[in-house]
Amino acid sequence: MSSPEPDAATSPLPPHKGMADTPDLLADALVRAVGTTEHGLWLDPSAGSGRLIEAALRAGVPAKSILAIDLQANLPALDNLGVESLLSTDFLHWAQRTDRRFDRVIANPPFVRLRELQEALVRPALETRLDGLSIPRTANYWVAFLIAGMRLLKPGGSLAYVLPAAWEYANYAGPLRSMCESSFEELDVHRVSVPMFETVADGSVLLVGRGLGRQPRRRAHVINHPKLSALNQAVSASEVALTPKEMRSIEPCLPEGQVQFGEIAHIRIGAVTGHASYFLLNEEQRLALNLPCSAVWPVLSKAHHITGSQIGEHAWTKLWAAGERVWLFSPSDADLSHPSVRAYLDLPAEEGGCRREATKIRHRDPWYRVPIPEPFDGFLTGMSMARPWVALNRKPGLTASNTLYGVRFPTIASPDEQAAWCLSMLSSTTSKSRAQLVRRYPQGLLKLEPGDIARLAVRPPKNPEGALSLYHQAVELVMTGNAKHAQTLADEWLEA
């Protein structure tokens, strides 16, 4: 049956943005994770085609116990399931006004940036709060859905949400991660080494919280699974069986003598262009366009640009001479009077100009001014088959595009001391920590997000004197395939 909300939003989500049908294996695992032995009242706040509801019905949950909500007006699949449904309903708007509470909330919410939504949907999202926790405009729609779901849970209730991998590292999600850890008796984050969705290549996680409002019995766990079927088999209505190799704490309790790398360094992605082929240029392109050097920034734009323990003028010039894209177009006000700059800005998209409708660009004012991060002390790549290392920045003004990460040492200026911490990252301590944090993508590619790198365990160096020279040697070993030798070098130096 259908009962549209009188005040429902009329603005739909952007077509096909942030939405994907939940695979049956994932839907079944999600339902079983919250338990079906005591049915209670169930809520799916973004029902879509009804995959999660079908899974709940397969698990024996009575149709009369389930409420389905969706912004779309016409979902015939829900009509055939016999559950109560509120269509044409903005869940976040409804959640602020309802007195109804639920024993289980299950969801595959939309993954859409708030700034991509129409204002009629953004307002209820920004108004969604829980115990003082609010949502910034830089956040994603799913954050509001999770907060609202927690608000509608009865004490002792449980929820299961499919979320993007950003759950684990996005700054805007940090306060929500902390709240979830302290709000549930048990909190699990299930990862799968391959994409969960056939049509979505990005990583996703299954977040499961059980026992809202009860004292946490254990630290939050991340459980890694090789494939979706393994997740499905591992999840049951009772306690999830964990082995030491399968679990780690989201915020691990480090042994004495270790710290997280994020305590001494800030890690963030490089400059976000929104249209790389327009804003990132090689020297031949810059000359052909007659763009002045004042209108471009020196930049590293590829993982293979990280060529050693340091990136200075000589290393960057070699990339420049090799035809690599080492210029970032971001003109200042003074450059706008240059005829070539003006011509490039006015170039139609079909003739090589900028695609101004792209999300990152249309929300930028002015659109052609790429935000340049604060100066980086070093650069590294998060996606690699080798161990990550920091290439220390020795070229003034050099920045990176968002294919790379930048590192800043806010309280460390000494080259030897910076190198000492970077050398510690090559030790066996960090290697073990990395094995627990790394995300495995198809074709064996490994990735660390900025938040993962910040959580890497490192041992504080005792004496940084001479570390820069030794760090050069260690990185050379890593680059030539001798990572184990580099690790031994770092371990012996830390023990000396």
Side-chain angles (χ1 to χ4, degrees), residues 298-300 312-320 326-327 395 398:
V299 67
L300 303 179
E313 188 68 40
H314 177 69
W316 181 84
T317 301
K318 286 181 66 175
L319 297 172
W320 171 88
V326 294
W327 291 120
K395 178 176 169 59
L398 182 63

Side-chain angles (χ1 to χ4, degrees), residues 27-195:
D28 288 336
L30 187 148
V31 168
R32 290 164 54 206
V34 295
T36 59
T37 53
E38 297 179 4
H39 295 136
L41 298 177
W42 288 62
L43 168 68
D44 182 346
S46 51
S49 59
R51 293 290 185 86
L52 299 186
I53 293 170
E54 289 175 350
L57 295 174
R58 285 196 296 271
V61 179
K64 65 181 181 181
S65 299
I66 301 173
L67 171 62
I69 299 178
D70 203 275
L71 193 60
Q72 298 180 72
N74 184 26
L75 291 172
L78 287 184
D79 293 334
N80 298 330
L81 297 179
V83 301
E84 179 186 0
S85 59
L86 297 176
L87 302 185
S88 297
T89 299
D90 180 351
F91 165 65
L92 300 179
H93 182 272
W94 177 86
Q96 293 171 20
R97 290 157 179 79
T98 186
D99 293 327
R100 300 177 69 170
R101 293 297 181 265
F102 301 86
D103 300 277
R104 303 286 187 269
V105 179
I106 53 175
N108 177 7
F111 303 171
V112 187
R113 296 181 182 90
L114 291 184
R115 59 192 178 196
E116 295 183 42
L117 296 174
Q118 297 183 23
E119 191 61 27
L121 299 179
V122 174
R123 283 196 304 272
L126 296 177
E127 292 168 359
T128 300
R129 290 177 171 81
L130 179 63
D131 295 337
L133 180 64
S134 58
I135 302 170
R137 277 189 176 267
T138 55
N140 199 291
Y141 208 24
W142 64 262
V143 175
F145 271 72
L146 179 52
I147 292 176
M150 291 175 66
R151 287 184 66 244
L152 297 182
L153 267 183
K154 294 179 181 179
S158 302
L159 58 74
Y161 274 59
V162 181
L163 299 177
W167 154 262
E168 297 190 89
Y169 61 84
N171 290 335
Y172 60 74
L176 182 54
R177 289 194 296 271
S178 298
M179 175 175 283
C180 285
E181 287 207 55
S182 62
S183 297
F184 289 96
E185 184 177 21
E186 298 174 345
L187 188 72
D188 295 326
V189 180
H190 295 268
R191 289 177 176 173
V192 178
S193 298
V194 296

Side-chain angles (χ1 to χ4, degrees), residues 175-370:
L176 182 54
R177 289 194 296 271
S178 298
M179 175 175 283
C180 285
E181 287 207 55
S182 62
S183 297
F184 289 96
E185 184 177 21
E186 298 174 345
L187 188 72
D188 295 326
V189 180
H190 295 268
R191 289 177 176 173
V192 178
S193 298
V194 296
M196 292 187 185
F197 298 88
E198 292 183 2
T199 58
V200 181
D202 294 339
S204 304
V205 300
L206 172 59
L207 177 73
V208 181
R210 306 183 191 91
L212 181 73
R214 296 174 183 161
Q215 183 69 24
R217 287 200 304 160
R218 53 173 170 78
R219 297 182 67 85
H221 288 142
V222 167
I223 306 105
N224 295 300
H225 307 278
K227 52 187 178 179
L228 194 53
S229 60
L231 184 156
N232 182 277
Q233 294 168 11
V235 175
S236 66
S238 58
E239 184 77 18
V240 178
L242 299 174
T243 68
K245 289 185 178 180
E246 291 176 322
M247 81 181 164
R248 70 163 178 84
S249 167
I250 291 178
E251 297 295 341
C253 183
L254 295 176
E256 185 177 355
Q258 297 179 19
V259 299
Q260 292 183 332
F261 190 59
E263 294 181 38
I264 52 93
H266 296 166
I267 303 96
R268 59 154 293 174
I269 63 172
V272 178
T273 66
H275 185 178
S277 62
Y278 177 82
F279 287 98
L280 296 174
L281 308 169
N282 61 28
E283 176 65 359
E284 183 180 1
Q285 291 171 313
R286 186 189 72 82
L287 292 175
L289 293 165
N290 196 30
L291 296 174
C293 288
S294 60
V296 293
W297 290 70
V299 67
L300 303 179
S301 61
K302 294 289 184 182
H304 67 260
H305 290 179
I306 297 177
T307 56
S309 60
Q310 296 187 110
I311 298 288
E313 188 68 40
H314 177 69
W316 181 84
T317 301
K318 286 181 66 175
L319 297 172
W320 171 88
E324 296 288 337
R325 294 198 293 179
V326 294
W327 291 120
L328 171 59
F329 178 64
S330 185
S332 65
D333 290 341
D335 294 314
L336 299 182
S337 59
H338 194 290
S340 296
V341 171
R342 194 72 260 166
Y344 194 47
L345 293 175
D346 294 338
L347 194 64
E350 58 271 17
E351 297 178 20
C354 184
R355 296 194 303 267
R356 300 190 197 181
E357 74 281 359
T359 301
K360 297 290 186 182
I361 298 171
R362 71 171 185 266
H363 291 289
R364 204 157 61 203
D365 185 21
W367 66 266
Y368 51 80
R369 188 79 41 79
V370 178

Side-chain angles (χ1 to χ4, degrees), residues 15 27 45 149 427:
S427 70

